[in-house]
Amino acid sequence: MKTDVENRLIWLDGKIVNIKDATVNVLAPTAQFGLNVFEGIRCYWNEEKEQLFAFRLDDHHKRLQRSIKLLQLDSPYSLSDLKNAFIDVVKANDYREDIAVRQTVFADGFGSWGSEGPVNMFVSPIPKAKSSAEYNKKSLRCCISSWRRISDSVLSPRIKCGANYINSRMAQREALRNGYDTTIFLNDAGKVAEGPGSCLFIVKNGILITPLLTDSVLESITRDTIIRIARDMGIETLERSIDRTELYTADEAFLCGSAMEITPVCSVDKYEITGGNRITNWIHNKYLNIVTGNDRMYLEWLTMISN
Ligand code: PMP
């Protein structure tokens, strides 16, 4: 049975409440200045095992703690508090389908953008199907954004905070206005960075290549997953800066992230990418096998959410 989305349960301030009662003060710094940090975490339902698995939960929570530290939020939450809140609310909703969970730690109260606290949290799950249903139909027509990716010296892309997505919004709206599906940012140095909500890989001559973590990208968990599984399978994988023109001549390219999983790119600035997606398809299938608990080699990445 599908969950009743309108009445789903949210964790807010230590309580599990109906979404209609999960409200935030309009004057809180999170509402006024986007002063919040968050994670987008996926759980996948395995029908055969009748089991819901959260993917790389501890790694998401560690990244959330790094974002909290960098923004100097006076957070009362330990790693186990973050995990317990997550598990409690997912269990409370009794899901038997794939879901996406937003876990946000935010500046509450009546302070300003300089306030350290008070700090609050919500955890909000929602059903979300895998991208695989759409995978064969969906290949993205991308442009290079005229907006540069935020940089570590201005607004670090390493911090997963709400305000960073204004840069993403500007670029995505420009792409849609101009008839593309989405966009790819260059960084301050003119090298390829990432998508507005995803990381990027290209394939050239059978080698998988992705920008460095110091090229203005989020420390993506999907990026890390792909590097690990590709290397385990003996696919040569490089982390290095990528030039814009390398995108135009790539054999394959794809965007990746917890939300979009692995989604192929079919063109960049109307230069077509026609190499056949052999490696992209392999990574996509492998990824879905892992996250659903069907690959025994990577079970350490999964947290069982049992009711
Ligand atoms: N870059 C940006 C800007 C993102 O918003 C995301 C999605 N969180 C990613 C990359 C991918 O990160 P992850 O694989 O951890 O979901």
Side-chain angles (χ1 to χ4, degrees):
M1 197 188 74
K2 293 274 174 209
T3 319
D4 176 4
V5 174
E6 300 284 303
N7 280 304
R8 67 190 203 268
L9 300 173
I10 306 286
W11 191 105
L12 175 67
D13 199 8
K15 295 186 207 69
I16 291 181
V17 296
N18 188 287
I19 189 163
K20 293 177 181 121
D21 301 316
T23 55
V24 170
N25 161 20
V26 291
L27 293 179
T30 186
Q32 296 203 63
F33 310 107
L35 186 51
N36 58 63
V37 292
F38 69 97
E39 289 295 317
I41 306 168
R42 297 297 292 273
C43 300
Y44 292 90
W45 175 250
N46 184 315
E47 188 62 53
E48 213 174 292
K49 298 185 174 138
E50 298 226 327
Q51 189 62 61
L52 191 66
F53 293 110
F55 187 58
R56 298 193 67 170
L57 190 57
D58 294 344
D59 294 313
H60 278 284
H61 289 150
K62 283 183 194 154
R63 185 171 68 184
L64 191 56
Q65 292 287 45
R66 294 198 295 275
S67 296
I68 288 168
K69 176 178 182 175
L70 285 165
L71 285 189
Q72 296 206 275
L73 290 169
D74 188 19
S75 164
Y77 308 112
S78 66
L79 273 176
S80 59
D81 294 335
L82 297 177
K83 186 171 183 170
N84 291 338
F86 181 97
I87 290 178
D88 288 351
V89 74
V90 172
K91 275 190 187 174
N93 281 283
D94 203 11
Y95 289 113
R96 295 173 68 85
E97 61 195 301
D98 298 340
I99 62 169
V101 185
R102 174 66 49 89
Q103 183 155 9
T104 301
V105 172
F106 60 94
D108 205 353
F110 296 90
S112 186
W113 44 263
S115 311
E116 285 176 26
V119 165
N120 206 335
M121 174 163 71
F122 70 81
V123 192
S124 161
I126 191 166
K128 182 172 165 65
K130 294 179 193 66
S131 70
S132 57
E134 290 284 299
Y135 183 81
N136 290 324
K137 286 182 264 161
K138 203 163 141 195
S139 191
L140 301 170
R141 290 166 304 123
C142 299
C143 57
I144 297 293
S145 179
S146 74
W147 300 96
R148 289 290 160 109
R149 187 64 178 141
I150 44 178
S151 70
D152 199 59
S153 59
V154 178
L155 195 58
S156 178
R158 183 166 287 105
I159 308 172
K160 193 164 167 60
C161 63
N164 281 5
Y165 287 81
I166 298 304
N167 176 236
S168 298
R169 177 181 171 85
M170 295 301 282
Q172 181 66 16
R173 299 301 308 180
E174 176 189 59
L176 296 178
R177 243 183 358 261
N178 292 333
Y180 296 95
D181 298 316
T182 190
T183 189
I184 296 165
F185 282 109
L186 304 182
N187 63 21
D188 267 355
K191 300 294 183 187
V192 174
E194 60 180 346
S198 55
C199 277
L200 174 93
F201 283 80
I202 61 171
V203 177
K204 281 211 152 180
N205 301 322
I207 300 172
L208 193 59
I209 311 169
T210 193
L212 293 162
L213 285 179
T214 47
D215 273 344
S216 291
V217 304
L218 180 71
E219 291 176 339
S220 153
I221 289 162
T222 319
R223 175 189 178 281
D224 182 73
T225 302
I226 291 167
I227 291 172
R228 168 96 178 265
I229 60 183
R231 286 187 178 149
D232 285 351
M233 283 309 292
I235 298 172
E236 191 179 345
T237 305
L238 302 178
E239 295 172 78
R240 68 154 173 84
S241 296
I242 297 176
D243 280 337
R244 177 179 189 153
T245 49
E246 288 186 282
L247 284 185
Y248 297 160
T249 55
D251 299 327
E252 303 177 36
F254 61 88
L255 291 171
C256 68
S258 303
M260 65 161 41
E261 297 158 344
I262 283 91
T263 305
V265 170
C266 60
S267 64
V268 180
D269 285 347
K270 302 193 179 165
Y271 286 94
E272 288 185 14
I273 296 175
T274 55
N277 288 342
R278 188 178 62 84
I279 292 181
T280 307
N281 293 342
W282 181 85
I283 289 171
H284 178 248
N285 289 331
K286 183 86 177 165
Y287 183 81
L288 290 183
N289 254 329
I290 292 170
V291 297
T292 47
N294 289 322
D295 191 321
R296 294 180 50 192
M297 229 174 113
Y298 301 96
L299 289 179
E300 91 226 35
W301 277 338
L302 304 182
T303 304
M304 250 189 232
I305 317 257
S306 324
N307 254 322

